[in-house]
Amino acid sequence: MSLLDVRDLSVVFQRRGERPFTAVDKVSFSVEPGQTVGLVGESGCGKSVTSLAIMGLLPKRGNKVTGEVRFEGANLLKLRPDDMRDRRGRDIGMIFQDPLSSLNPVIPIGVQVAEVLERHQGMDRRKALREARQLLDAVGIPDPERRLKEYPHQISGGMRQRALIAIALACKPRLLIADEPTTALDVTIQAQILTLLKQLVDETGTALIMITHDLGVVAGLCDTVNVLYGGKVVERAARHELFARPRHPYTHGLLNSVPRLDSVRGERLHAIRGSVADNIPWTEGCAFAPRCDHVVDACLEGAPPLEPTATGGDLRCNNPVPVEVTVP
Amino acid sequence: MLRVIVRRLLQLAVTLIALSALIFIWLRNLPGGPIEALLGERATPERRALLTKALGYDQPILVQYAKFMQRVLTGDFGNSIRTGDPVTEVIGRAFPATIELALVAMIIAIGLGVPLGYLAARHHGRLLDNLSIAGTLLGISIPIFFLGYLLKDVFTQNIHWFPPSGRLSTGVDNTEVTGFFVLDGLLTREFDATADALWHLILPAFTLATIPLAVIVRITRASVLDVLNEDYVRTAEAKGLRHRVIRGRHILRNALLPVVTTIGLQTGALLSGAVLTEKVYNWGGLGTLITDSISGGRDYPVLQTLILLAALVFVVVNLLVDLSYAFIDPRVRVR
Ligand SMILES: Nc1ncnc2c1ncn2[C@@H]1O[C@H](COP(=O)(O)OP(=O)(O)O)[C@@H](O)[C@H]1O
Ligand code: SF4
Ligand SMILES: [Mg+2]
């Protein structure tokens, strides 16, 4: 049994007086215990909404969530709100993009770590603070004793994200969801945080869903990668397979726009032309068609199906990138 | 923290001095005055000149002001022209009545306003929210005089739930210690006096509370709506924290910052509201004293001191507001 099995997850936003908007469209993927899985795609493709739906953190009104989110067999979408509350922070931890705004500005760091221990492990404040000190130490925060009493504005951005990682991992969850955890940080700090995350999930055996718009983040981290476009999974492959032989024109384009250490100096990066604003609805064809160099007639006759590939992945494309061409 | 206090105390001194000068000049330039009031319209010019000189009103305003300030600094606020009693005594009698009324009004406004504002925000766009918006609009726009007499009519004439006026029923024995009747009853263990004082307080306090209540509901609602969208509330939810903890520690604690500021700003409205409320319920506090001192022939010494006192109260309340703000928000402390 997979640790997490997302089946046909859809999220439709429905505001009064507006047309329903499908942000996540029958997304399926699974995460094995201890595995690291990437969710990759441009801004607005539904990554955050997917993760919030898994956590049960979408707004209570104005949206409709369908499908299944099976965690160790139990469908989280069918849980009573209080039962889901028991699992959040204990079975599944989550960290977010902006560490400054994600911490409460008027509460000391120590309390913000301790409260999750008090909640799920029944510790009293003193015991929880002692444990919090250990946790801050484990995520590489120097002088943790002092940090316990400090407030978020008194520590650096990198420290804040470390503190949030400590919070998310405090109760040793089996799954950690990281939604663009490095996007708001300086480049040098980004690498440190990624290294830390990798080290922690390796040590603790926690499974990780790494959400990012940056394939470079996925490169050193993920076992499997799911590429999302317009709310749908368009390609799924093992990491080395995806980087070596991207089959979907969108994935191909994303890879070509990633700066590489071995690229020739001065060589232009190839950005994908157009933007998500050019998308057509999946009901009319492939959403990527207006931006695609491979487009064929079939692409405008309804959404192509997601089909298994010879290499064990999945692909949603009528005219994929031929395997030979992509070998550099 | 200490720096904040010291800075605010200095500001307080400057504010009071500037304000007292303005008031002094303004009062002296109003038509009518104590000479007319004391001697009548038909007094001879000679007698007027004599009294004007005796009271020192013939000297240049700045000299008068300097003398006034000199005496104030030694604690001498002069005597009431109307009654002849020392100003400190006249005001000392009325002060506790008003403060007691304003405090209870504020307790009502905060005690009801914060929960109502929170509920309205959590029911954003639904019935309860719309009711609160309509209710606060009414609360802000209804004149205190009108509301006062309406409540008085309904609850003391039609249904006899509350007494129509005054601070205590005749025949209730109370020993004055502080002048705050609710407190005095508790201190002297005359609990029937406390109960009676509270019973008298309810209608006037509610009347006086309406505007601050409406404002606090609105600010709390808007502020909670803002905070609900904050990332740290989502983090708190992602930790699976209990509702109670998220509400108190993560939502209200942040949402209350603007509310605390509002409470300070409402002090002015509360003091002017007290004048009208006291009139309706014949309360006998500072409001009554102000009305009497103006209509009773410009009782300069009393009026001057009253306005200074009002300014003092305003600044002290705002100092307390700043301190509680710094207490709640660590980002203010380091500044
Ligand atoms: N609460 C919401 N109401 C309506 N639309 C939303 C809401 N949250 C997200 N969306 C929309 O859903 C789409 C996917 O958003 P999101 O998952 O945040 O993208 P990203 O992949 O950048 O994380 C976007 O078009 C966004 O505008
Ligand atoms: S289905 Fe067609 S339009 Fe869509 S990516 Fe493949 S080739 Fe391009
Ligand atoms: Mg996002």
Side-chain angles (χ1 to χ4, degrees):
Chain A
M1 184 173 56
S2 299
L3 177 70
L4 180 78
D5 201 0
V6 177
R7 282 286 143 246
D8 292 330
L9 178 68
S10 294
V11 180
V12 180
F13 288 105
Q14 170 67 290
R15 292 235 182 83
R16 244 192 298 171
E18 280 174 37
R19 285 205 306 153
F21 173 74
T22 307
V24 177
D25 197 352
K26 297 224 160 94
V27 165
S28 303
F29 66 95
S30 55
V31 181
E32 303 306 318
Q35 198 188 22
T36 294
V37 171
L39 284 189
V40 184
E42 281 167 305
S43 172
C45 70
K47 305 180 297 291
S48 296
V49 174
T50 302
S51 61
L52 293 174
I54 294 171
M55 289 291 279
L57 288 178
L58 285 170
K60 285 192 198 67
R61 285 178 290 156
N63 62 69
K64 192 162 166 14
V65 183
T66 52
E68 290 181 4
V69 175
R70 294 209 170 266
F71 185 83
E72 294 171 343
N75 186 357
L76 300 184
L77 298 183
K78 289 273 180 294
L79 286 184
R80 294 206 320 267
D82 279 348
D83 294 336
M84 190 62 207
R85 195 175 284 281
D86 286 341
R87 289 179 176 253
R88 279 198 298 265
R90 186 191 68 191
D91 298 346
I92 312 178
M94 183 156 182
I95 53 180
F96 301 95
Q97 179 168 337
D98 183 350
L100 179 58
S101 64
S102 296
L103 286 166
N104 188 332
V106 303
I107 310 283
I109 306 282
V111 177
Q112 301 197 48
V113 183
E115 63 182 358
V116 68
L117 295 163
E118 291 167 23
R119 166 70 170 94
H120 294 298
Q121 319 233 305
M123 296 185 189
D124 60 16
R125 178 58 62 84
R126 271 202 28 218
K127 186 140 183 273
L129 278 176
R130 224 178 311 139
E131 176 77 16
R133 206 197 73 89
Q134 303 273 318
L135 286 163
L136 292 185
D137 196 37
V139 295
I141 293 183
D143 201 358
E145 188 71 40
R146 198 178 93 214
R147 303 299 175 197
L148 288 178
K149 296 186 202 72
E150 289 190 335
Y151 293 88
H153 71 273
Q154 291 172 295
I155 63 177
S156 71
M159 290 299 160
R160 287 180 205 127
Q161 195 59 295
R162 285 172 194 265
L164 280 158
I165 292 172
I167 290 170
L169 292 178
C171 299
K172 314 209 164 32
R174 267 97 73 216
L175 176 65
L176 174 66
I177 303 179
D179 187 356
E180 312 236 14
T182 58
T183 307
L185 301 173
D186 289 347
V187 182
T188 47
I189 311 290
Q190 287 186 6
Q192 291 174 15
I193 294 291
L194 287 177
T195 311
L196 173 71
L197 272 175
K198 187 172 167 48
Q199 172 213 329
L200 288 172
V201 295
D202 284 351
E203 277 170 14
T204 58
T206 306
L208 170 66
I209 298 179
M210 173 57 88
I211 295 176
T212 176
H213 66 273
D214 180 358
L215 271 174
V217 166
V218 164
L221 206 61
C222 297
D223 303 312
T224 336
V225 182
N226 297 278
V227 180
L228 263 68
Y229 193 84
K232 276 187 183 298
V233 175
V234 293
E235 182 165 17
R236 169 186 4 265
R239 184 230 312 172
H240 54 88
E241 190 62 34
L242 189 92
F243 278 84
R245 283 172 288 276
R247 303 296 315 281
H248 197 280
Y250 175 63
T251 317
H252 190 251
L254 275 184
L255 271 175
N256 274 338
S257 58
V258 175
R260 292 170 68 137
L261 286 177
D262 56 0
S263 66
V264 184
R265 285 237 319 266
E267 191 185 38
R268 292 268 323 263
L269 294 173
H270 301 279
I272 304 167
R273 68 185 154 89
S275 73
V276 283
D278 301 323
N279 287 3
I280 59 171
W282 283 106
T283 45
E284 287 171 23
C286 173
F288 187 58
R291 306 171 68 187
C292 182
D293 293 332
H294 286 242
V295 62
V296 292
D297 288 350
C299 303
L300 297 172
E301 293 160 8
L306 186 68
E307 287 172 329
T309 62
T311 50
D314 296 286
L315 183 62
R316 186 192 297 280
C317 183
N318 296 316
N319 184 20
V321 180
V323 172
E324 327 67 81
V325 176
T326 64
V327 181
Chain B
M1 205 69 158
L2 197 67
R3 286 230 317 270
V4 178
I5 301 179
V6 171
R7 201 176 61 210
R8 290 309 302 251
L9 284 178
L10 284 175
Q11 281 172 4
L12 165 75
V14 173
T15 312
L16 286 182
I17 290 172
L19 197 69
S20 64
L22 280 177
I23 293 159
F24 201 88
I25 295 166
W26 173 68
L27 273 179
R28 293 297 188 277
N29 284 310
L30 282 181
I35 309 298
E36 283 80 359
L38 287 171
L39 297 179
E41 303 255 320
R42 272 177 302 236
T44 61
E46 292 76 30
R47 290 199 54 201
R48 282 189 199 200
L50 213 63
L51 186 60
T52 304
K53 197 167 162 74
L55 290 173
Y57 293 159
D58 57 333
Q59 290 166 337
I61 276 193
L62 276 182
V63 176
Q64 290 187 40
Y65 176 67
K67 285 196 168 157
F68 166 70
M69 281 311 283
Q70 202 180 0
R71 277 187 283 115
V72 163
L73 288 178
T74 61
D76 173 14
F77 291 86
N79 293 332
S80 162
I81 295 177
R82 207 159 44 89
T83 65
D85 295 337
V87 169
T88 40
E89 215 170 87
V90 176
I91 291 181
R93 275 197 298 270
F95 187 68
T98 300
I99 297 300
E100 187 167 54
L101 174 63
L103 274 181
V104 174
M106 238 19 219
I107 290 171
I108 292 174
I110 298 168
L112 287 179
V114 170
L116 280 177
Y118 178 82
L119 280 178
R122 288 247 96 155
H123 289 248
H124 188 203
R126 284 180 282 175
L127 182 68
L128 194 72
D129 189 27
N130 292 326
L131 279 181
S132 90
I133 293 180
T136 53
L137 192 64
L138 192 68
I140 290 171
S141 45
I142 199 166
I144 288 193
F145 243 168
F146 177 74
L147 179 71
Y149 280 119
L150 184 74
L151 288 180
K152 188 165 155 172
D153 231 47
V154 173
F155 289 104
T156 72
Q157 314 291 319
N158 297 358
I159 34 179
H160 302 267
W161 282 3
F162 299 105
S165 65
R167 296 176 68 196
L168 275 183
S169 305
T170 41
V172 172
D173 237 4
N174 85 318
T175 322
E176 274 197 44
V177 187
T178 60
F180 297 91
F181 288 175
V182 175
L183 185 64
D184 287 350
L186 293 177
L187 289 175
T188 57
R189 314 191 124 261
E190 293 164 332
F191 298 123
D192 54 329
T194 291
D196 190 64
L198 278 174
W199 189 44
H200 279 75
L201 263 166
I202 290 177
L203 274 190
F206 254 100
T207 307
L208 184 54
T210 44
I211 291 178
L213 172 62
V215 173
I216 289 174
V217 170
R218 290 214 152 188
I219 303 282
T220 307
R221 172 182 172 277
S223 175
V224 169
L225 279 180
D226 279 349
V227 171
L228 283 177
N229 282 325
E230 292 285 350
D231 289 347
Y232 54 78
V233 175
R234 191 184 54 192
T235 307
E237 293 283 3
K239 291 174 180 178
L241 299 181
R242 293 200 189 285
H243 226 55
R244 180 169 41 79
V245 175
I246 296 181
R247 185 178 54 213
R249 193 180 291 162
H250 294 282
I251 299 175
L252 278 178
R253 183 142 182 195
N254 281 286
L256 282 184
L257 288 168
V259 179
V260 168
T261 311
T262 311
I263 291 171
L265 294 175
Q266 284 299 305
T267 319
L270 206 65
L271 290 179
S272 56
V275 176
L276 300 174
T277 309
E278 292 190 6
K279 183 102 189 128
V280 175
Y281 295 97
N282 196 15
W283 194 250
L286 295 178
T288 317
L289 186 59
I290 284 195
T291 337
D292 290 353
S293 303
I294 292 177
S295 56
R298 310 272 184 273
D299 199 339
Y300 287 161
V302 174
L303 283 175
Q304 272 155 206
T305 316
L306 272 179
I307 298 177
L308 268 187
L309 185 65
L312 182 70
V313 168
F314 191 81
V315 180
V316 166
V317 169
N318 279 288
L319 175 64
L320 291 178
V321 163
D322 278 8
L323 292 183
S324 26
Y325 202 103
F327 177 76
I328 302 178
D329 191 345
R331 288 165 297 183
V332 179
R333 270 176 241 164
V334 290
R335 262 207 265 121

